[in-house]
Amino acid sequence: MLQTKKEVKDEKTVDFHLVNSKNLLLIFTRNPELGKCKTRLAAKVGDHTALEIYKFLLGHTASITKNLYATKAVYYSEEIWENDIWEPTIFDKKLQEGATLGERMANAFKDGFEKGFDRIIIIGSDMHDLNQQDLEKAFKALEKNDYVVGPALDGGYYLLGMKKYKDTLFNAKDWGTETVLEATLKDLKEERLQLLSEKNDVDHYEDIKDIKAFEPYLKHMKND
C-alpha cells in the first residue's frame, strides 16, 4: 500500500512538471554596481545605501522565484556574472539586447516564444511586495486569458505576461514614467486580460521609508 501511494505521488509530480514546463519567467535585473542602480533612490539615501538595498531586493527576488515551477531566465543589463546569487542550475543567464527597455523586453519575449514556451511572464528585480504565490497566480491567469498585468502604484507595471506576442506593447512608451500602465492597458483593451492586485515597487525613498524590512539600511536617515 505504501508503495502504491508513492507511485501515485511520483506520477503526479512528473505530470505537474510537464504541465509547467511551458512556463517561462523572465527576470530583468541590473548588475549591482555602485552608482549604477537605484539612482533615484540613491539621490536621497546615497549610492552605497542604494546598492545595499538593491542587493537585498535581488536576494528577495531570487528567493521567491527559485522554487517556482517554471523555466527561469535572468537578463543582465550590462554583463553576465557567473558567480552571484543567481544559481546557474536554477536560472538561465542571458544579456538584455536592445537600445530601449521596450526593445530589450520585446527581444526577451520573442526569444522565449521562438523556443516554444506557451506562457511567458516578465518581472523586474526590485519588488519587495511580491511573492511566489503572486507569480503562480499570474501564470494561472494565463490559462484563461491571453495577457496578465500587475499594476504598480507609480503608474507603471511590475509584471507583464502573455500567451501570444504583441509588438505594440513595447512601442511608443515613455518608460519609467507614470504613463506606461495606461498606455499598456490601451493596447490591450480588445484582448482577454486579467489585472492583478496593485503593488508598490521600489524607486524612491518614500517607497520604503515606512517598511520594516528596510529599517536596517535607513538608520542614517532617521533624523532627516
Side-chain angles (χ1 to χ4, degrees), residues 59-78:
H60 172 75
T61 304
S63 70
I64 67 167
T65 57
K66 65 181 181 180
N67 294 321
L68 186 71
Y69 283 107
T71 298
K72 295 167 279 280
V74 176
Y75 277 79
Y76 292 76
S77 60
E78 305 296 332

Side-chain angles (χ1 to χ4, degrees), residues 18-84:
L18 289 174
V19 167
N20 286 274
S21 65
K22 293 297 184 180
N23 289 349
L24 173 63
L25 179 69
L26 308 172
I27 304 168
F28 264 39
T29 182
R30 286 188 176 276
N31 292 78
E33 297 179 293
L34 187 65
K36 294 184 179 181
C37 54
K38 290 290 150 206
T39 54
R40 287 176 288 181
L41 176 62
K44 179 72 173 180
V45 304
D47 287 340
H48 287 277
T49 298
L51 177 60
E52 290 307 307
I53 290 172
Y54 188 53
K55 288 180 178 178
F56 167 71
L57 291 168
L58 290 176
H60 172 75
T61 304
S63 70
I64 67 167
T65 57
K66 65 181 181 180
N67 294 321
L68 186 71
Y69 283 107
T71 298
K72 295 167 279 280
V74 176
Y75 277 79
Y76 292 76
S77 60
E78 305 296 332
E79 60 183 5
I80 295 173
W81 289 0
E82 297 301 332
N83 300 310
D84 58 9

Side-chain angles (χ1 to χ4, degrees), residues 4-224:
T4 303
K5 286 183 178 180
K6 183 178 186 301
E7 288 173 356
V8 171
K9 182 176 184 295
D10 286 348
E11 183 179 352
K12 287 183 178 179
T13 301
V14 171
D15 288 345
F16 189 66
H17 278 276
L18 289 174
V19 167
N20 286 274
S21 65
K22 293 297 184 180
N23 289 349
L24 173 63
L25 179 69
L26 308 172
I27 304 168
F28 264 39
T29 182
R30 286 188 176 276
N31 292 78
E33 297 179 293
L34 187 65
K36 294 184 179 181
C37 54
K38 290 290 150 206
T39 54
R40 287 176 288 181
L41 176 62
K44 179 72 173 180
V45 304
D47 287 340
H48 287 277
T49 298
L51 177 60
E52 290 307 307
I53 290 172
Y54 188 53
K55 288 180 178 178
F56 167 71
L57 291 168
L58 290 176
H60 172 75
T61 304
S63 70
I64 67 167
T65 57
K66 65 181 181 180
N67 294 321
L68 186 71
Y69 283 107
T71 298
K72 295 167 279 280
V74 176
Y75 277 79
Y76 292 76
S77 60
E78 305 296 332
E79 60 183 5
I80 295 173
W81 289 0
E82 297 301 332
N83 300 310
D84 58 9
I85 64 168
W86 306 105
E87 299 177 33
T89 57
I90 299 174
F91 301 95
D92 293 333
K93 299 190 175 192
K94 298 176 179 290
L95 192 63
Q96 298 173 27
E97 296 181 359
T100 67
L101 176 59
E103 289 178 15
R104 296 193 291 272
M105 290 195 296
N107 287 332
F109 271 100
K110 285 188 282 190
D111 182 66
F113 282 121
E114 287 170 2
K115 285 182 167 56
F117 289 97
D118 292 333
R119 293 168 294 275
I120 304 177
I121 286 173
I122 191 169
I123 61 171
S125 51
D126 57 359
M127 285 294 300
H128 182 257
D129 195 21
L130 192 66
N131 58 46
Q132 181 177 328
Q133 291 70 37
D134 294 322
L135 298 174
E136 291 169 349
K137 182 178 179 180
F139 275 116
K140 189 169 182 61
L142 289 176
E143 293 177 6
K144 296 181 178 180
N145 300 274
D146 292 323
Y147 300 91
V148 59
V149 174
L153 292 172
D154 63 2
Y157 57 76
Y158 61 87
L159 178 151
L160 174 67
M162 63 183 74
K163 279 195 302 196
K164 58 180 183 179
Y165 180 76
K166 191 176 181 72
D167 197 54
T168 54
L169 291 171
F170 307 106
N171 299 329
K173 304 289 188 299
D174 293 324
W175 301 105
T177 73
E178 70 280 358
T179 66
V180 172
L181 177 64
E182 181 182 0
T184 299
L185 295 182
K186 187 177 295 185
D187 292 335
L188 295 172
K189 63 182 179 180
E190 304 297 330
E191 304 286 356
R192 293 190 301 171
L193 165 70
Q194 181 168 326
L195 285 176
L196 303 176
S197 59
E198 198 173 41
K199 292 184 179 294
N200 179 43
D201 57 6
V202 177
D203 287 317
H204 301 93
Y205 172 67
E206 288 70 26
D207 297 325
I208 62 173
K209 65 184 180 66
D210 298 320
I211 300 176
K212 189 173 182 63
F214 294 98
E215 286 180 1
Y217 305 99
L218 301 177
K219 290 179 181 178
H220 67 295
M221 305 290 297
K222 63 182 179 180
N223 295 321
D224 287 6

